[in-house]
Amino acid sequence: MTFSPPTSTSTTATASSSATHELLAVLHNTSAVSNHPNSPSPPQHNGLSGQPLQNYHANLQSLRNSGDRSFLFFRSILEIAGNDDTLYSLSKQEPQSAAELLFHCILGFRHVILHRWDQFSSRFRNASRDFFFYLGLGLMRRSAEGQNNSIMDVRLPSMIARVCLATSAALWKRSWTTSYPSKDGRGSEGSNVATMSVAAAEDEDLSGVADFEKEVHLLQMLASHPVWMTAMTVIKNNGYYEHVTQQNLETLFEFCHETVMHSLKFIMAGNDNTVITQQQQSQQQRVILHMAVMTCVFLSSLVGEFGGSNSAITYNCPLEFHRTSHVIFEQEGISKVLNIAMGGLSGIVNHWNNNSNNNVAMMDASVELAVGVVDVIVDVLGWEFGSIGGGHWGRTGGSGLVRPPESWREYLIRPDLLGAVFYVYTSVRELGKNHEQGQDTITALRRFQHSLRQLLIGLASITGSIFQSKTEKGAYLEYFVNGLLSVLSMIVTDLSPFTVQNERSTAEDILLEQLQRETVDFCCMMTRIVTNFRVEALSILQNFATFLSAIASVGDVLLRISVSELKAAHGDVEVMADDGDWRNEAIGQLLEAVCLLSEDHWLLSSRAGNAQDTARNALASSLAPLYSSYVSCRIEMAKMEEFYLTANAAELDEVREEISGVSMDEEMNAASSLGRVHLPSSLSCLSSVFQSCVPKLQALFASDEQAVTPDAAALLEEARLLILCTGHLLTDDCAGETPFIPEAILNSCVEPSDLSHAIKTGSDEFAATTHAISQIVHVLMGIAEFQVSKVALSPKNPNLSPLLAKTLLWFFTRWASAYILPSSSSSSISESGSGQKGILDTWSNQETSRQVVSFCVTLCLHYFTLWPHESQVIQGSSELLFSLAKRDRNVKLLLMSCPSMEHLFNLHICTAGQIHSSTEKNAGPGVSEKMASAFRRIPYKYRANILTAILTSSSEINDAKSESCFNACLQAVQDSFRILVEALEQKKVRPHDVFTVEMTCLCVELFGGITRASEICHPERIPIFMTPFLPQLAALMNFYATDITICELLLVLFRDYTERYIVSLDREQCMTVFRASADLLKDYSSNHCQSRVIRKAVNDSQENDVQEEQSYNDVLCAIQLLNNIGAKDFVDSFSSQRTGAKGVDSNEVIEVVFFGLKQILPLMTNGLLHFPTLCKQYFSLLGFMMETYPDKIGMLPFDLFNGLLNSMLFGMSHTDLFVSKSSLQGIAALCREQIENKSLSGHLSQNPSLFDECSKRILEEVIFQSIIWDRIEPAANALLPLAAVDMNKFATVVNMISQQLDTEKKQKIQQAFQTLMDPDVIGKVSKGNYGGRLNRMRFRKDFELFVKDIHSKVLVF
């Protein structure tokens, strides 16, 4: 980097002592930095020749940190800004090195003055603050052609001008609390603070300033600096000189207001019919316009600094300073900024509305100012009221709504201005399409459009008490919607040509690029309107139906453009990925708006003919076409994409495919709300597509093709997406809940209520709608049945598509669990008393329900025996079975009556002892050898899932067939396991023989399937069966401790068993599982804790983190097992106290948990604790142990204890609040145990500074950090006993930490600790009393005040 300092004729610099030369020497020369006063030693390098960039910046940072006592930064700025040639070069963006040096000088000086604030005089701070203000505004002079005092139109590069203004804003904030005007209008520091007469520097007492002589010299230089002199000239000539010469915080806003309004007068003067050219504008007028623009930039910076959004600037001030500044600016400053900006906006709007001739010169002059004014308003609307100031306004949750104070009503609630803003937007929009204008003008117009859109989004978000009545709110809404609709109609018109696949011109590409962001913003605006005003207010509007139609029109045109774009890309989604993102975002916004509209709770009170009923009808009629467009376009796009992938043998990246699948699922969930707005038309759309698709699909299944052609892949994808649409429309994801038919489906499929005064339910089209649903379900059944029949003939035919089978199973799982024998209390609609319940009656009688249940079971049986290696199909089948098995008694009995279910029982019984490679031929009754051979090839974990499903379905105890099948299934597992155990014990087989290992895996998995059948009727039967086998299962670890697969299977089995049944086990069963778990963990630990090396990759991808964490799933299972066992202590203790029942003694529980903890502690390194799930489970166990049984910790060997303590110190500053609280509670428990029982004396003898280290780290890593605010109580509970262990040593730690601070802060922190550590409370705690409850509560309250005080007055940000 090279930069030749300017040779200036200005009085501010001399060639012999150039500040720029000196600064460059410091930055490029090691000796210059090292010899600089108070400078630390810089990095070593080889001088200027080949100077690395990092060394340049290192020297720059070193100079900043040293405090720049020679004012190199400021002097260089004065020198560069005072040189005519350099300024002119900067305005032309050359040389780059000069601009970069000036940029770093400004940032460096800002850092120095903010961090050494009290070491500068107020006069110097204020003068430098206003110098940067004037420099950023562009007030500069050029000596040329004898015009020594002429104003030149030279502008600094935008980046440098903005950093100047940001610096001025930061200095205003830093002096705000001390300079804030008092009631008499003067600053609190007196009139001298506000006085900006630089020449009077000698009159101020500077004796307390370290470098007062240098400051006086610099102030003298500043008084004669061209920038300063030019600023005074311009200000005086334009009539607001008094606002600057007496500039304080009040007159700052007056100056900004005058600057903006003065420029508007000039702009408005051009609204007559006289065409004004660029040459006719005077230099001075251009400077004033530029000043106004940069004034807006300054106001935005000011709002950002006080609002806290500009985090790049550090003030070296405590939090209390930022909080106080925020409060003061919120009370007075923010409203003044809004007043200036709204005045500017009114002028801009008047100009654009009256400027009929659209004079180019006036347009260019006004656009840049308009952008600045609008951006200020947007920033003000984004102000977080009370975020750190304690106010009661602000944003509403995560909806993006804004609740401004009532005092802003005069500025914001102006429907006339709202309409005018929309008019200006449409005018600017049309001008932006005129490509005959210059590119700079078009770019400026587009920036103006963007700013106006952000303003309109903010205005659409206004809510709260700022509206005085519903009438006023409705009028505001009507003006807004009228303007919104006028723009949306233009957008639809402009987008429509792009729905047709044609070669686009360059102009059309530019137009489409412009429409992208505009469309997204206006879709966001619609969503914000719906979120804010809801259906009740919108439905009153005369153009409510037009508003709904606009949503449908925009959505339709976006979908059709997506189809057209993908066609142009020949199905290659990668080509259109960037262009497609904006459409997906816009469609997502529209679907969100539809969800809010259709699910509005106000519509629930619909009665015949009332406002809700009218609104519901409007939603149905206006939005129904959009669902048909969505389905047809999404299916068409999916077909094209699949066609391309197959034709080009391309594969999607797995991660992207997963993300795409999740995104599509979320989108379809939202689209289901759209489809349910008018269910008959949605079902009609799906039915018509099915009619076209099914015959072609059946023909594909029946073909003998042994390869999937692109056309076949497209057809299969069409069918898959069609099934997904149907499933989302008819069902909801009821994971973890009782499945019900969606309310909207019920409302459309039951007979309407006949009471005029009652809530309106049902639909006149209920019979046709119910029939349409039934027909679609039967179509899907037919597809599945036809596919299975072809799989039986040709299971390897790729056109039969296991993926399609998986999708069909997904649909039947969601549909069957909700629609077959639906609960009569599933909805208020079902209890409305109507004669015919439509869809509720369709599959409610014995015959129809038996048919569909038999179909589902038979389908699963066929998939099990025809496609045993298709894991996704097998998983989907077992989930379908289990979803039915979990239903009530009636469904269970229907399952047991199915012949196919009997086949499943027999298949399990005859193959329970057969591994994949078994050749035995002992198929049970009704089961062919082919079926048995296929069933045994199913992966073991899915055979376990099937066992869980059939056990659950046969769990009814008052049915002989169910009981017989249930017991037979258990007996089959018992027999196969008994054979395995006997063979191992009698050494008839080798443990690590491949067949023995396979058999072990099968048996353990099957026991896991039995364990997971906890939702059966009378689940106590599972522990009765499992208890005798637990010791034998644990003994398998002795054989297979080195086999990580079997290790994990055993740990998962014991974890699942204790998780599901530990609370219900009696004493004998508990002691059995305790002993078995202890043996299991002992054998596991002996083989893994010593030899296994656990590492955590640093800065790895999230995907790799997840995969790596899964490789330690065995460790996670071991921790979860101990957590489950520990829960037994609480359950039985509670039970014994309440009922007198005999449970397990606490000591018996803790012995097992403590033993297990010792086994896994060697594994718990910091590397392993970086995995979030493992970390949380470990600290859950640790928190329980430390809080309940801290006396046991003293018995640990020192190495294990030290590792445990380090893990708690690691966890106390963890980002996860649960981990942090558990760690702090553990540390507190250790301290109390030492105080009361001296249990840790042995460990202290090996490390006497053990608690000192804890004190130091909890202070530095928790209490003195910003993370303290969400963990104040546990930190207080830990600090109190930690100090009481040895108050003298604790005081030493505090003193050591305070030595790192300056004298003032050192005194403050020591005084704060003295106030916090009440001798009476500490004395009581140190004697083992823990201070009593009232004293502990008082300490927590005092601690909270202590933290606030320290963070406000000592710690800096």
Side-chain angles (χ1 to χ4, degrees), residues 738 740 743 746 822-831 837 840:
T738 302
F740 288 131
E743 195 86 3
L746 284 174
S823 172
S824 59
S825 60
S826 63
S827 169
S828 59
I829 295 176
S830 64
E831 300 174 348
K837 297 182 179 179
L840 291 172

Side-chain angles (χ1 to χ4, degrees), residues 731-740 814 818:
T731 64
D732 286 331
D733 183 11
C734 297
E737 303 175 0
T738 302
F740 288 131
R814 289 176 54 140

Side-chain angles (χ1 to χ4, degrees), residues 1011-1014 1055-1064 1124:
T1011 296
R1012 290 189 289 275
S1014 56
R1055 178 202 65 187
D1056 290 347
Y1057 179 74
T1058 53
E1059 179 182 347
R1060 286 168 168 79
Y1061 303 103
I1062 193 71
V1063 296
S1064 61
N1124 296 338

Side-chain angles (χ1 to χ4, degrees), residues 1090-1107:
Q1090 301 299 326
S1091 60
R1092 195 169 183 185
V1093 178
I1094 296 179
R1095 297 185 178 90
K1096 170 66 175 68
V1098 180
N1099 296 329
D1100 209 347
S1101 67
Q1102 185 175 0
E1103 179 189 2
N1104 291 339
D1105 280 352
V1106 173
Q1107 293 177 352

Side-chain angles (χ1 to χ4, degrees), residues 440-484:
D440 291 342
T441 301
I442 295 176
T443 301
L445 288 170
R446 289 179 182 173
R447 283 189 59 230
F448 189 20
Q449 285 180 252
H450 174 75
S451 297
L452 285 173
R453 291 198 299 269
Q454 299 310 304
L455 172 62
L456 290 170
I457 291 174
L459 294 176
S461 308
I462 294 175
T463 188
S465 58
I466 193 170
F467 293 106
Q468 291 185 339
S469 64
K470 285 188 175 181
T471 302
E472 183 180 67
K473 190 173 183 179
Y476 182 90
L477 174 62
E478 186 166 10
Y479 272 94
F480 199 100
V481 171
N482 286 337
L484 178 64

Side-chain angles (χ1 to χ4, degrees), residues 323-347:
R323 183 180 291 112
T324 304
S325 299
H326 188 281
V327 171
I328 292 175
F329 195 79
E330 183 175 298
Q331 291 172 349
E332 295 291 338
I334 193 70
S335 59
K336 295 181 184 298
V337 174
L338 180 63
N339 178 49
I340 296 170
M342 291 304 295
L345 180 63
S346 297

Side-chain angles (χ1 to χ4, degrees), residues 114 128 164 228 237 248 263 302 323 325 358 401 421 424 485 578 706 744 753 1014 1035 1046 1060 1073 1098 1289 1328:
L114 289 175
S128 59
C164 287
W228 193 276
N237 291 341
N248 55 26
S263 64
L302 200 66
R323 183 180 291 112
S325 299
N358 292 325
L401 300 185
V421 171
V424 171
L485 292 176
D578 294 338
Q706 294 303 310
S753 56
S1014 56
I1046 297 180
R1060 286 168 168 79
V1073 75
V1098 180
K1289 287 189 174 182

